[in-house]
């Protein structure tokens, strides 16, 4: 705790237009704070009497540590203050945003001025107070809509970290999320009624709202809101046709569960003429003309939308199995440009699985490319309409066709002559059709649309919808680092963050650091995955420990001709020169002969070439025959091959070998036997601890059993 005092009276300036508890003080306040901190007496040091009576064998802290030269002292961080209205003695607490106010003026947040019953030009006392770190807080909601917050801990952590330094019991805390505000009363705090919450792990509890104590009007209002929200999306079922009615410039919304994403779907909306509507589909609600993924803006015929199984937005949806369909009633536009208010529009909607993604949805007025009777003997095409007509009636048909029908020179569409005046071609694209479609087409595809974020404009409504669901700064996302619902912000200016696909919020939020549990380094949140992969790469790159070539030993290999450990090789070392290793081979042969004939006599022995382990002794001739076979396995004198020997070992080594084999088999060969031995050595033969050590430290085998 800081041992200095500072306080001053200020005139209240205009309120701060930011959430949180941070105030703005003048520059002179910082200067006087530094001066007060400098003039404060140094911490008390131990007296000579305390030094002489200190018992070095006790657990008490040594007073000699207090006699060390004091280090230069710095201002505490963060600076926290008690803010008091001298007129009514109400008190709250806060931090400091900056020291940029005019002399003798302090700027407070609007909520703080209301809490202290202060107005502009009133007097307020600001006193430095070093608050204890908070450990626990209980909040009580003031409205029923607090249940809309999905993750309370994440929401509180993100908002408090960004805007608050302190909490005071009894204050009203306003949490903002997704352009919504939720109010909570700070009910209780520990260890004091006012705490600092910077750089501390604060445990948060939410006290359920007692609806019996709420105002009945508020309950009625919230019930109506909840009912309206529940009635917003009607439920569709795949393969079941449903009917609906939508009025002009209004929406009717549907929701359908599509659990099988290996097949595409087809949405068909049949409109009862006269009437016009748009079909809008998205993976999120609510669906609007500006916020959707798939759409159909046709004006005639059935509105059909086909979503193939290969569509990325459709196949990769993870948060829900539901698709949301919005039906927007649109007033028909007359050729003059005025709206034709036709009242409600009746329609039916049918959703079906669509297994062939290559099949195109039939469009309004489309004609089959294959004509009836095409290339049939006795038929020939009409030069006007292109139909295949019997040759015997061609003259009669041609006279009738030329008198009643006409063919468009641009698109080749055949129509009645009286309908030709209602046929149009767009001057900006390839669209053609009835004149009744023109104004809607021009509005949707050749209008002018600007996003509310101010950074995008386009002539096409589908392009605006694409922008709003991808790069729009106002798009709401669940932050991958703080797990709260926030606006993603503009695209990050950092090149590395752009490659990661991060926008402003996640770029800022990901800069927070945590301590790596393996190497204790501080790592930014957005680098945690890369940092973890580095650890995994280092783990997998470790070289496997080399064990003794004695198949019954698990000690580390030493540098000798047999590749044995020092203990196993000790009996076979000779001080005389042995360039061809004949004496070494003789010693090893005698050892094998003794093992096979008499054994070692140890009940724990697991050596497959020992009479004790086998439970039977061999005669000299049989032992000599068998030792010649296993002696060759030692590869004595070879510089390219590693041999194998079978020698009896002590009980501790045998037990460790058995445990290592058990561990290897229990983990189904995920780790090499050498690493199993090392894990047992590191964890003092504790099997459970050894498994944990292997999972954290040892490289996995690429092909486990």
């Amino acid at each position: 705790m800081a041992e200095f005092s500072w306080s001053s009276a200020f005139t209240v300036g205009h309120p701060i237009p930011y959430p949180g508890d941070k105030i703005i003080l003048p520059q002179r306040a910082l200067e006087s704070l530094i001066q007060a901190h400098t003039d404060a007496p140094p911490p008390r040091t131990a007296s000579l009497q305390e030094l002489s009576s200190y018992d070095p064998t006790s657990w008490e802290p040594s007073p000699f540590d207090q006699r060390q030269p004091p280090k230069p002292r710095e201002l505490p961080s963060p600076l926290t203050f008690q803010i008091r209205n001298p007129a009514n003695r109400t008190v709250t607490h806060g931090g400091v945003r900056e020291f940029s106010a005019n002399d003798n003026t302090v700027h407070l947040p609007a909520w703080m001025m209301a809490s202290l019953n202060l107005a502009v030009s009133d007097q307020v006392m600001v006193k430095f107070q070093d608050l204890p770190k908070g450990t626990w807080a209980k909040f009580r909601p003031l409205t029923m809509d607090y249940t809309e917050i999905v993750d309370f801990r994440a929401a509180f952590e993100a908002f408090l970290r960004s805007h608050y330094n302190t909490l005071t019991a009894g204050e009203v805390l306003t949490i903002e999320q997704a352009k919504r505000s939720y109010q909570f009363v700070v009910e209780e705090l520990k260890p004091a009624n006012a705490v600092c919450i910077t750089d501390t792990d604060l445990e948060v509890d939410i006290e359920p709202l007692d609806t019996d104590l709420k105002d009945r009007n508020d309950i009625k209002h919230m019930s109506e809101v909840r009912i309206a929200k529940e009635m917003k999306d009607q439920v569709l079922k795949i393969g079941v046709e449903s009917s609906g009615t939508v009025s002009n410039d209004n929406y009717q919304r549907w929701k359908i569960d599509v659990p099988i994403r290996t097949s595409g779907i087809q949405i068909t909306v049949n409109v009862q003429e006269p009437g016009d509507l748009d079909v809008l589909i998205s993976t999120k609600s609510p669906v609007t003309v500006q916020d959707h993924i798939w759409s159909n803006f046709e004006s005639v015929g059935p509105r059909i939308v086909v979503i193939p199984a290969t569509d990325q937005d459709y196949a990769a949806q993870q948060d829900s199995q539901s698709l949301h369909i919005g039906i927007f009633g649109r007033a028909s536009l007359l050729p003059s440009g005025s709206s034709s208010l036709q009242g409600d529009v009746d329609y039916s909607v049918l959703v079906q699985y669509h297994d062939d993604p290559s099949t195109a949805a039939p469009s309004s007025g489309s004609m089959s490319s294959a004509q009836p009777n095409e290339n049939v003997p006795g038929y020939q095409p009409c030069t006007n309409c292109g139909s295949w007509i019997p040759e015997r009636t061609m003259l009669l048909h041609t006279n009738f066709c030329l008198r009643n029908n006409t063919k468009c020179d641009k698109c080749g569409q055949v129509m009645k002559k009286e309908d030709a005046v209602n046929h149009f071609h767009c001057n900006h694209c390839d669209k053609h059709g009835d004149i009744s479609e023109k104004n809607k087409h021009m509005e949707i595809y050749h209008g002018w649309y600007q996003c509310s974020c101010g950074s995008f404009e386009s002539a096409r409504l589908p392009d605006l919808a694409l922008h709003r669901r991808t790069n729009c700064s106002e798009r709401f996302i669940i932050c991958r680092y703080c797990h709260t619902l926030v606006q993603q912000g503009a695209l990050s200016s950092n090149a590395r963050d752009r490659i990661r696909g991060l926008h402003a919020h996640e770029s800022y939020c990901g800069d927070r650091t945590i301590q790596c549990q393996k190497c204790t380094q501080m790592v930014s949140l957005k680098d945690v995955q890369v940092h973890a992969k580095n650890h995994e790469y280092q783990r997998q790159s470790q070289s496997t420990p080399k064990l003794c070539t004695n198949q019954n030993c698990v000690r580390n290999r030493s540098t000798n001709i047999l590749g044995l450990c020092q203990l196993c090789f000790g009996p076979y070392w000779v001080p005389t020169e042995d360039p061809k290793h004949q004496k070494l081979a003789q010693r090893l042969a005698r050892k094998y002969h003794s093992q096979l004939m008499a054994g070692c006599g140890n009940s724990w022995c697991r050596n497959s070439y020992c009479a004790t382990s086998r439970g039977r002794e061999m005669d000299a001739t049989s032992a000599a025959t068998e030792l010649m076979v296993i002696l060759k396995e030692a590869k004595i004198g070879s510089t390219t091959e590693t041999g194998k020997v079978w020698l009896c070992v002590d009980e501790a080594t045998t037990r460790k070998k058995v445990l290592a084999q058990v561990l290897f088999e229990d983990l189904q060969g995920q780790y090499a036997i050498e690493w199993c031995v090392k894990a047992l050595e590191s964890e003092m033969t504790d099997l459970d601890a050894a498994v944990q050590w292997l999972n954290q430290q040892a490289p996995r085998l690429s092909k486990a059993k």
Side-chain angles (χ1 to χ4, degrees):
M1 302 291 285
E3 298 182 0
F4 78 99
S5 61
W6 175 90
S7 62
S8 183
F10 296 96
T11 301
V12 178
H14 58 81
I16 300 174
Y18 305 109
D21 69 337
K22 300 175 184 178
I23 65 177
I24 299 178
L25 290 169
Q27 176 66 27
R28 288 189 178 180
L30 177 60
E31 296 173 357
S32 59
L33 271 167
I34 295 175
Q35 187 62 42
H37 184 260
T38 304
D39 295 341
R44 188 185 70 86
T45 59
S47 63
L48 293 176
Q49 182 178 1
E50 291 174 330
L51 293 175
S52 60
S53 60
Y54 172 67
D55 182 6
T57 62
S58 69
W59 292 98
E60 297 296 327
S62 172
F64 291 95
D65 296 338
Q66 305 178 21
R67 304 289 294 184
Q68 300 296 328
K71 298 180 180 180
R73 293 186 299 161
E74 298 180 353
L75 280 174
S77 179
L79 290 170
T80 53
F81 301 92
Q82 180 194 87
I83 302 147
R84 179 166 55 90
N85 184 350
N88 55 21
R89 297 185 179 181
T90 53
V91 173
T92 189
H93 300 81
V96 59
R97 178 179 296 274
E98 56 190 37
F99 295 90
S100 61
N102 295 329
D103 289 345
N104 301 320
T105 302
V106 63
H107 299 284
L108 308 177
W111 72 266
M112 190 178 290
M113 293 177 61
S115 177
L116 298 176
N117 196 20
L118 288 170
V120 177
S121 302
D122 286 349
Q123 293 294 308
V124 65
M125 290 294 299
V126 179
K127 177 184 178 181
F128 170 78
Q129 185 172 356
D130 199 359
L131 299 175
K133 296 287 187 180
T135 58
W136 178 83
K138 181 167 75 172
F139 299 94
R140 176 169 52 86
L142 294 180
T143 56
M144 288 291 294
D145 58 353
Y146 79 98
T147 55
E148 297 176 0
I149 301 177
V150 179
D151 190 337
F152 287 102
R153 180 175 178 81
F156 273 89
E157 178 184 355
F159 192 77
L160 293 177
R161 182 182 65 250
S162 300
H163 304 292
Y164 281 80
N165 289 135
T166 67
L167 285 177
T168 304
E171 292 289 3
V172 176
L173 183 70
T174 303
I175 298 291
E176 296 181 1
Q177 189 179 54
K179 292 186 176 180
R180 294 289 304 275
S181 297
Y182 307 91
Q183 290 189 324
F184 296 83
V185 175
V186 184
E187 194 77 8
E188 293 182 50
L189 294 169
K190 290 181 181 179
N193 288 331
V195 297
C196 175
I197 59 173
T198 302
D199 297 330
T200 183
D201 188 9
L202 185 70
E203 183 180 349
V204 174
D205 281 349
I206 305 295
E207 180 181 356
L209 185 63
D210 188 355
T211 55
D212 294 336
L213 299 179
K214 281 188 58 63
D215 184 78
R216 291 186 178 181
N217 293 330
D218 191 19
I219 296 176
K220 180 180 179 181
H221 170 71
M222 293 309 302
S223 299
E224 292 174 350
V225 171
R226 185 175 64 255
I227 293 173
K229 184 176 180 181
E230 294 172 353
M231 294 294 292
K232 182 172 58 175
D233 289 355
Q234 300 184 49
V235 178
L236 281 173
K237 292 184 178 180
I238 293 180
V240 179
E241 188 173 19
S242 301
S243 300
T245 303
V246 63
S247 57
N248 290 331
D249 296 326
N250 285 314
Y251 292 93
Q252 187 171 30
R253 295 185 172 92
W254 302 82
K255 183 177 73 171
I256 183 167
D257 288 337
V258 187
I260 303 175
R261 296 302 173 97
T262 55
S263 298
I265 60 169
Q266 176 175 306
I267 299 98
T268 305
V269 179
N270 293 300
V271 186
Q272 183 175 340
E273 302 290 348
D276 192 11
L277 51 77
D278 300 332
V279 180
L280 314 162
I281 307 164
S282 179
T283 56
K284 296 181 179 180
S285 181
V287 189
T288 67
V289 292
Q290 293 188 354
D291 297 293
H292 64 270
I293 301 177
W294 307 278
S295 60
N296 186 309
F297 293 106
E298 296 294 329
S299 298
V300 294
R303 281 47 159 188
I304 300 177
V305 179
V306 175
I307 306 176
T310 55
D311 187 286
Q312 184 176 1
D313 292 312
Y314 172 77
Q317 184 183 1
Q318 298 179 350
D319 54 347
S320 172
Q321 294 183 345
S322 300
L323 291 180
H324 300 271
I325 303 173
I327 307 297
F328 178 66
R330 187 178 291 274
S332 299
L333 295 176
L334 300 176
S336 61
S338 60
S339 297
S340 172
L341 300 178
Q342 299 174 343
D344 296 341
V345 180
D346 296 327
Y347 66 92
S348 64
V349 57
L350 175 64
V351 181
Q352 295 174 306
Y353 281 116
H354 188 78
D355 294 325
D356 186 6
S358 62
T359 303
S363 60
S364 173
S366 63
M367 297 182 62
S368 175
S369 59
Q371 294 287 344
N373 301 317
E374 184 176 357
N375 296 323
V376 175
Y379 287 81
Q380 64 183 34
C382 174
T383 56
N384 186 48
C385 67
S387 300
W388 286 75
I389 307 299
E391 294 176 353
R392 67 180 182 275
T393 61
M394 175 57 69
L395 181 61
L396 180 64
H397 169 82
T398 302
N399 292 334
F400 177 85
C401 189
L402 291 173
R403 186 171 59 250
N404 294 280
N405 298 331
T406 184
K407 184 177 182 180
C408 178
D409 296 332
K410 292 184 177 180
C411 63
Q413 182 177 343
V414 179
M415 67 201 79
K416 293 182 178 180
K417 286 186 175 181
E418 58 267 25
D419 294 337
V421 294
N422 294 327
H423 183 70
F424 94 99
H425 279 266
C426 179
N427 296 326
H428 306 282
C429 64
D430 296 332
K431 172 67 178 178
H432 61 87
D434 190 79
I435 192 68
S436 61
E437 304 177 66
K438 179 178 180 179
N439 288 327
K440 179 180 178 181
H441 172 77
M442 296 300 294
E443 177 186 349
I444 298 295
Y445 296 100
H446 307 293
W448 183 80
Y449 296 94
Q450 184 177 23
C451 183
S452 56
C453 69
S455 63
F456 179 84
E457 60 182 40
S458 174
R460 291 167 44 86
L461 181 58
D463 292 343
L464 174 63
L466 176 63
H467 163 76
R468 289 186 62 82
R469 71 173 185 265
T470 53
N471 295 323
C472 181
S473 60
E474 296 180 349
R475 177 191 176 211
F476 282 99
I477 61 170
I478 300 294
C479 175
R480 68 187 77 179
Y481 304 119
C482 64
H483 309 291
T484 55
L485 184 63
V486 294
Q487 290 181 332
Q488 66 179 359
L491 194 63
S492 174
S493 58
N494 184 285
R496 292 181 61 194
D497 290 349
R498 287 199 175 201
I499 295 175
R500 293 187 178 106
L502 302 182
H503 286 69
H505 172 81
E506 290 186 324
S507 178
Y508 161 78
C509 194
D511 281 333
R512 293 184 292 120
T513 59
I514 59 173
Q515 189 177 45
C516 176
Q517 298 300 315
K518 283 191 174 182
C519 62
T520 69
Q521 290 184 0
M522 301 303 295
V523 184
S524 63
L525 292 178
K526 55 190 176 186
D527 290 332
V528 165
Q529 290 186 348
V530 175
H531 187 79
K533 287 182 179 179
N534 287 336
H535 279 302
E536 184 65 19
Y537 175 77
Q538 294 173 0
R539 170 185 172 183
Q540 290 297 125
S541 301
Q542 298 178 91
S543 57
T544 304
K546 294 183 178 181
L547 298 183
C548 178
T549 54
N550 181 3
Q551 301 304 294
N552 301 300
C553 181
V554 292
R555 289 184 285 264
N556 291 331
R557 185 182 304 178
S558 183
T559 56
N560 52 68
I561 192 63
L562 291 177
L564 297 172
C565 65
Q566 292 182 353
L567 288 178
C568 291
F569 185 72
Y572 308 100
W573 179 82
V574 291
T576 59
E577 186 177 1
D578 187 17
K580 295 184 179 181
H581 312 295
Q582 294 178 351
K583 296 181 179 180
L584 176 62
Q586 293 173 1
R587 285 173 176 257
L588 184 59
R590 286 197 295 270
K591 181 63 177 177
Y592 278 157
H593 198 262
S594 173
Q595 287 181 176
L596 293 171
M597 289 185 61
C600 62
N602 297 320
S603 58
W604 65 78
C605 183
R606 296 293 184 272
N607 185 1
S608 57
Y609 292 98
C610 176
T612 303
S613 176
R614 290 179 173 182
R616 59 182 177 85
E617 298 179 352
M618 299 180 68
D619 58 79
T621 303
S622 300
T625 303
E626 188 166 355
L627 75 85
M628 294 302 296
V629 177
I630 61 176
L631 188 62
K632 294 180 180 179
E633 295 293 327
K635 308 292 182 184
I636 300 176
S638 175
T639 58
T640 58
E641 297 182 85
T642 302
K644 296 180 181 179
V645 296
W646 287 266
L647 302 173
C648 298
V649 293
D650 59 89
E651 183 179 7
T653 304
T654 301
R655 181 174 180 274
K656 189 181 295 184
K657 174 71 175 181
V658 172
L659 288 176
Q661 191 63 38
V662 169
L663 190 60
F664 178 81
E665 294 174 357
D666 286 348
L667 296 176
Q668 300 179 349
Q670 296 182 50
Y671 305 97
I673 188 70
E674 293 86 351
W675 288 107
C676 294
V677 172
K678 188 172 180 63
L680 289 169
E681 291 176 350
S682 300
E683 301 300 333
M684 306 296 292
T685 67
D686 186 334
L687 282 176
D688 293 335
V691 171
Q692 186 175 0
W693 187 96
L694 285 170
N695 292 331
Q696 294 177 353
Q697 305 290 339
R700 294 177 181 268
L701 294 177
S702 57
K703 294 183 180 180
K705 292 182 180 179

